[in-house]
Amino acid sequence: ASMDKQTYIIHMDKTKITASDHTLGNAKPWYELMMDSMHEILSQEEEDMSPLELLYIYKTSISGFAAQLSTKQVQSLKRLNGFLSAIPDEMLSLH
Amino acid sequence: ITHTPQFLGLHLGEGLWNAPTLASDVIIGIVDTGIWPEHVSFKDSSISQVPSRWKGTCEEGTKFSVANCNKKLIGARAFYKGYETIVGRINETMDYRSPRDFNGHGTHTASTAAGNLVHNANFLGMAKGLASGMSYTSRIAAYKACWRRGCTNSDLLAAIDRAVADGVDVLSLSLGGFSKPYYSDNIAIATFGAVQNGVFVSCSAGNSGPFSSSVSNAAPWIMTVAASYIDRSFPTTVKLGNGKTFEGSSLYSGKRTKQLPLVYASTAGGQLAQFCINDSLVPKLVKGKIVACEQGINSRAEKEEQVKNAGGAGMLLLNAEIYGEELLADSHTLPATSLGASAGKAIKNYVRLNKNPTASIMFRGTVYGNIAPVMAAFSSRGPSLVGRDVIKPDITAPGVNILAAWPPKTIPSLLKNDKRSILFNIISGTSMSCPHVSGLAALLKSIHKDWSPAAIKSALMTTAYVLNSKRAPIADIASNSSKAATPFAFGSGHVNPKCASDPGLIYDITSEDYLNYLCSLNYNSTQIALLSRGNFTCPNNVFLQPGDLNYPSFAVLLDQNASNTSVTYKRTVTNVGTPMSTYVVQVDEPNGVSVTVEPKCLKFENLGEKLSYNVRFNALRRTKSSTNFSFGCLIWMSEFYTVRSPIAVTW
């Protein structure tokens, strides 16, 4: 499963990130709610239980995170409230 | 950097380099290969305490500790998680897993933007002088996100995100990739967030010129920087056995060669010997001779390596036709020089027609006073593939043969057996021009603390100049300097810091304006949300067209087949010059287009006052021989100010 994974940059609409039922009432920042939802969704996947390999959470100039994900996990994450896009990571060059 | 400050009109104790301007606290974030903190360019003498607003830090890592930061280098972080997932764990014999710079590029760009004063800086005696960054009292924060094989987007985004949170005022990115729509371009997305937070973002345009539409980092909120030659060169004279001489360029610091046998292609080796690729040169044919190598297939350093390994006594690097008379100076370890395409052609003919061709190379050191600026052939060109309604690149700054700080443990040449240790290196690229503009933006920010990133950008663009030191149009070296460069090469022109500090009028742009521009591109709500981060809805009942973005230049798209088509764009200018001032418009019409401006006169009574005008571009009848582009400009002139906007028409 790890071999099939690649790094994606997941862009989120932070205004649409809401607490799930059991986290309601917690005054968590949006990115913590996002992580909660993401773990919840991925843990529901029966076939792919490999742990999430989170690289970064982006909080200031963009909203989202970078993680190593399988294509199945990417599909699952599309169910996240506020999900906008998943862009595969790529290499840029010095000029 | 030595000499470029003077070339740009910056002098110690005067104008933008006077005490009040320099006392201001501006923080420049450099996203690059890290930094060599002990370098004399980053000493913190004469610099005040770190401002309390600064939230950054110096991260510990391999051969890097908190103690490496000071009042000059106030932040240093490293981002490698994305890189290591793609390339594997960083080999610490090849790089430092910390903000320390192994490559040299980040140290060079950081010192160009904001390096402190260093007397008698030089590269092996060349380009000697007082070195300083463009804004030599500004603070530096180094965000290392580029490693041996490149920079991953995930690391770059982490660096940008962190830099903005830390509180940088200016971000400098001398890197890039292929251009793509803004909603799928991670750098465009992240830098939009930076600009929303008041950060000025300067990016290199790329080194893929002179090919058309090669520009990268072309989002309108980014300052996209092209590269030029300054008036300094490192000339060589190549003399052939037939008496003909050619001028080249080299940073070789040794003596001239004797007149030696000259070999090329089949007289130097086997297949592809003309490119001096791996194992193509035959030592018995090359030993003790000068080898001519054509540009292409492998790098310039690799060609030198091959010539050295085969026992060559010297090398002539011949430009491919497309790069014209481009003359980049390389820090060779054997007598070698680059030569333009026309010299290359003559030399290849000479070798073919003579049984015993010979050549010598003389190295003439550092020479000043060339006609300048001239556009570098390698500098990437517009029009932008993703936003034809904005002229890109935006501006030009020095980017050829730039001396700046270098880690003493990093060899200057990329050659395997180079043992030289230097403190300053001379390299070329839009990577080098970009931090010039970052530093200049910091200077403007220090004077005009309330100016938005777009206002600073406008000031730099509308005051840029388009004539060289001989009062002739800036030439393009890709055309052998026979043709004037166009706005698709130099944008609004060559940066002019003194005028930019007092531009008279500015074209300001808010975050909402940029988002309306994206709406006018028919982006859907998801695409808009990617950039706005979710708090913007396109207005319903408003006519939006991309050309109405309040940009300081005009990119006009006209239909080739329809006669009498026209477009009208609106602009709003803010008076930042003198309170009571009158501006009159002057237009240099692009070929095949009539331009009408209403009103033709703008009368301001107060500072900060905004006035709008409409400009109508009307297509005239065109001939079949017409090119796809034509260029002009629109200038608002007052008693004290000239506010110039280039016009580029694409048919």
Side-chain angles (χ1 to χ4, degrees), chain B residues 87 136 178 211 221 230 373 402 477 549 649:
Chain B
V87 178
Y136 65 87
F178 295 111
F211 303 103
W221 45 89
I230 55 171
I402 303 299
I477 210 154
L549 179 69
V649 177

Side-chain angles (χ1 to χ4, degrees), chain B residues 131-153:
Chain B
S132 69
M134 284 286 113
S135 181
Y136 65 87
T137 56
S138 284
R139 323 270 182 177
I140 295 169
Y143 296 86
K144 182 172 178 179
C146 295
W147 306 85
R148 189 171 172 77
R149 290 176 190 242
C151 340
T152 62
N153 262 318

